């Protein structure tokens, strides 16, 4: 399931994977009135290695200030010569509106990644249910393209929810896949129809009755959900009320912590000694700083004048991942790092507190 066509080792083309690099914008596509897809390649020939559903972190300079944002890839790793992100111009969104208004073909942006564990490649299953709200469709579109390009029959029910039919994204592509692959079914749900024109899909907001009509076997499916937090909260409510096994439910959000509950936070607080002082050493820069038990690694790094890239600030996005050489930390994370990474000594600076002296490779 993880096979990806790769260039020959002697071709001179390298893989881009977890490095910070300038990306070249090669194409800008309009998907709707307020959504655009931006296509990127590297300046030097390379191919992109990532998992379907992962994201990259962009750094853009606006009016002399550097801003960092995470954007899920809408492209598929099965098509490795180009990356795409699909971005909605959010009201008041500084970076999203700057991208829409200023980023053009030939421009460059700094990017880090790929990151994230929201992917079917982490949860193989015979049957999937994809629930997309608005522009949250991007990681699910990446997974759909990847599954389709595998050339294997995978049972997928794809539910896209939007405000109006004009806001539906990738509709023609989804319907084309559905027309060719009998196991791939698409259901479109709109809160209201367009003022002019007929609408024959589902109307209103997704609810339990609607879900049972669309996917009566949803209890048998692995569910992946992405969208605005109110949408995902509503989906969680529907599934929990129905008694769905939430261990088979996966969601992505850069807005609020999704896994840390009150009990976990209380346990974390018990491990933190506010009176304890530790020395944090940054091996690569040769700097060190004294910190209290309540400070995070990211807090201390900033006070020491070091710039560790960060975005969500609560352990979801994984942007602030750094390597620990020695020492112990308590990390209250929400899925932005894998167990394998932790075993290899990586930590998330935004939600890790030193438990004594610590040395970091940064």
């Amino acid at each position: 399931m993880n096979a990806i066509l790769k260039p020959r080792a002697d071709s001179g083309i390298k893989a881009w994977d977890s490095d910070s690099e300038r990306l070249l914008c090669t194409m800008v596509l309009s998907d709707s009135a307020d959504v655009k897809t931006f296509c990127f390649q590297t300046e030097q020939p390379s191919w992109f290695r990532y998992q379907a559903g992962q994201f990259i972190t962009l750094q853009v300079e606006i009016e002399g200030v550097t801003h960092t944002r995470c954007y899920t890839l809408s492209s598929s790793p099965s098509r490795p010569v180009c990356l795409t992100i699909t971005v909605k111009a959010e009201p008041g969104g500084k970076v999203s509106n700057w991208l829409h208004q200023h980023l053009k073909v030939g421009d460059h942006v700094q990017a880090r990644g790929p990151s994230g564990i929201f992917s079917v490649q982490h949860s193989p299953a015979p049957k999937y249910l994809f629930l997309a709200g608005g522009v949250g469709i991007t990681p699910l579109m990446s997974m759909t393209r990847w599954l389709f390009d595998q050339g294997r029959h995978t049972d997928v029910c794809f539910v896209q929810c939007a405000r109006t039919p004009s806001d539906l994204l990738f509709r023609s592509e989804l319907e084309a896949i559905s027309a060719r692959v009998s196991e791939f079914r698409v259901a479109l749900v709109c809160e209201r129809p367009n003022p002019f024109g007929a609408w024959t899909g589902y109307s209103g907001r997704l609810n339990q009755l609607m879900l049972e009509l669309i996917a009566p076997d949803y209890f048998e499916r692995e569910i992946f959900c992405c969208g605005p937090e109110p949408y995902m909260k509503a989906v969680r409510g529907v599934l929990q009320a129905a008694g769905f096994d939430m261990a088979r439910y996966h969601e992505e959000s850069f807005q609020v912590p999704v896994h840390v509950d009150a009990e976990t936070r209380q346990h974390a607080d018990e491990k933190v000694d506010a009176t304890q002082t530790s020395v944090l050493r940054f091996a690569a820069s040769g700097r060190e700083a004294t910190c209290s038990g309540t400070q995070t690694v990211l807090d201390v790094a900033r006070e020491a004048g070091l710039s560790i890239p960060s975005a969500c600030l609560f352990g979801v996005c994984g942007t602030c991942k750094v390597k620990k050489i020695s020492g112990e930390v308590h990390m209250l994370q929400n899925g932005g790092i894998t167990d394998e990474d932790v075993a290899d000594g990586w930590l998330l600076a935004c939600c890790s507190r030193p438990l004594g002296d610590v040395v970091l490779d940064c």
Side-chain angles (χ1 to χ4, degrees):
M1 296 265 312
N2 292 321
I4 299 175
L5 292 177
K6 302 177 181 179
R8 288 167 51 92
D10 59 356
S11 65
I13 299 177
K14 68 181 182 70
W16 186 78
D17 182 3
S18 297
D19 290 323
S20 179
E21 188 167 341
R22 288 201 336 151
L23 297 182
L24 172 68
C25 180
T26 57
M27 186 179 292
V28 179
L29 305 172
S30 293
D31 296 298
S32 70
D34 56 359
V35 177
K36 289 184 178 181
T37 291
F38 301 90
C39 308
F40 300 102
Q41 293 181 351
T42 54
E43 293 184 291
Q44 300 299 320
S46 66
W47 57 281
F48 295 97
R49 179 172 56 195
Y50 58 98
Q51 294 178 334
Q54 288 190 301
F55 62 89
I56 59 174
T57 304
L58 296 188
Q59 289 180 303
V60 298
E61 186 173 307
I62 304 174
E63 298 175 350
V65 178
T66 299
H67 297 266
T68 304
R69 294 291 188 277
C70 300
Y71 290 106
T72 305
L73 297 167
S74 52
S75 53
S76 166
S78 53
R79 310 172 195 182
V81 297
C82 179
L83 284 181
T84 67
I85 59 173
T86 301
V87 181
K88 179 181 179 181
E90 300 285 355
K94 197 169 189 68
V95 175
S96 63
N97 282 280
W98 183 89
L99 292 172
H100 272 246
Q101 297 168 13
H102 298 285
L103 187 64
K104 60 185 183 300
V105 173
D107 289 345
H108 294 83
V109 294
Q110 195 74 18
R112 296 176 63 91
S115 304
I117 57 174
F118 182 72
S119 174
V120 292
Q121 292 175 253
H122 283 287
S123 303
K127 301 169 72 173
Y128 293 102
L129 172 61
F130 291 168
L131 300 174
V135 78
I137 192 175
T138 53
L140 302 175
M141 199 65 207
S142 175
M143 297 182 208
T144 295
R145 289 166 169 165
W146 184 80
L147 290 169
F148 180 74
D149 287 348
Q150 295 303 299
R152 302 177 183 179
H153 292 278
T154 305
D155 189 330
V156 178
C157 181
F158 196 120
V159 182
Q160 181 181 179
C161 303
R163 292 172 300 178
T164 71
S166 298
D167 296 306
L168 292 167
L169 301 174
F170 308 115
R171 179 180 180 179
S172 59
E173 183 176 353
L174 289 170
E175 291 177 337
I177 295 175
S178 181
R180 299 183 65 187
V181 182
S182 59
E183 296 88 351
F184 185 86
R185 294 180 291 114
V186 179
L188 305 175
V189 181
C190 290
E191 292 183 20
R192 59 183 184 276
N194 286 329
F196 306 99
W199 171 245
T200 57
Y202 292 91
S203 297
R205 296 187 176 183
L206 187 67
N207 54 48
Q208 186 169 345
L209 176 60
M210 197 182 295
L211 185 59
E212 290 175 352
L213 290 172
I214 295 171
D217 61 347
Y218 70 91
F219 272 83
E220 304 170 13
R221 295 177 179 271
E222 201 80 10
I223 298 180
F224 283 80
C225 177
C226 188
E229 177 55 28
Y231 171 80
M232 294 192 295
K233 181 179 180 181
V235 168
R236 292 194 300 270
V238 168
L239 295 175
Q240 289 168 343
F244 183 81
D245 179 8
M246 297 304 285
R248 301 179 60 202
Y249 171 82
H250 315 270
E251 69 176 34
E252 181 181 72
S253 173
F254 300 134
Q255 300 177 29
V256 298
V258 295
H259 296 308
V260 178
D261 55 24
E263 182 179 351
T264 303
R265 289 191 179 280
Q266 180 179 357
H267 178 66
D269 292 339
E270 291 172 356
K271 297 193 70 172
V272 172
D273 182 358
T275 64
Q276 177 182 339
T277 59
S278 306
V279 175
L280 198 57
R281 295 184 175 88
F282 303 94
S285 62
R287 303 185 187 187
E288 67 175 53
T290 300
C291 62
S292 69
T294 59
Q295 287 183 291
T296 66
V297 170
L298 184 61
D299 293 335
V300 181
R302 288 176 171 174
E303 289 181 2
L306 293 178
S307 177
I308 296 178
S310 60
C312 73
L313 300 182
F314 46 74
V316 169
C317 74
T319 303
C320 62
K321 187 172 72 173
V322 294
K323 190 69 174 287
K324 175 170 62 69
I325 297 175
S326 65
E328 296 296 329
V329 302
H330 179 67
M331 179 167 57
L332 185 63
Q333 56 96 11
N334 295 284
I337 193 171
T338 66
D339 292 338
E340 291 79 7
D341 286 336
V342 175
D344 289 339
W346 293 91
L347 58 84
L348 298 178
C350 73
C351 56
S352 295
R353 292 177 171 81
L355 300 174
D357 296 347
V358 175
V359 180
L360 300 173
D361 187 17
C362 62

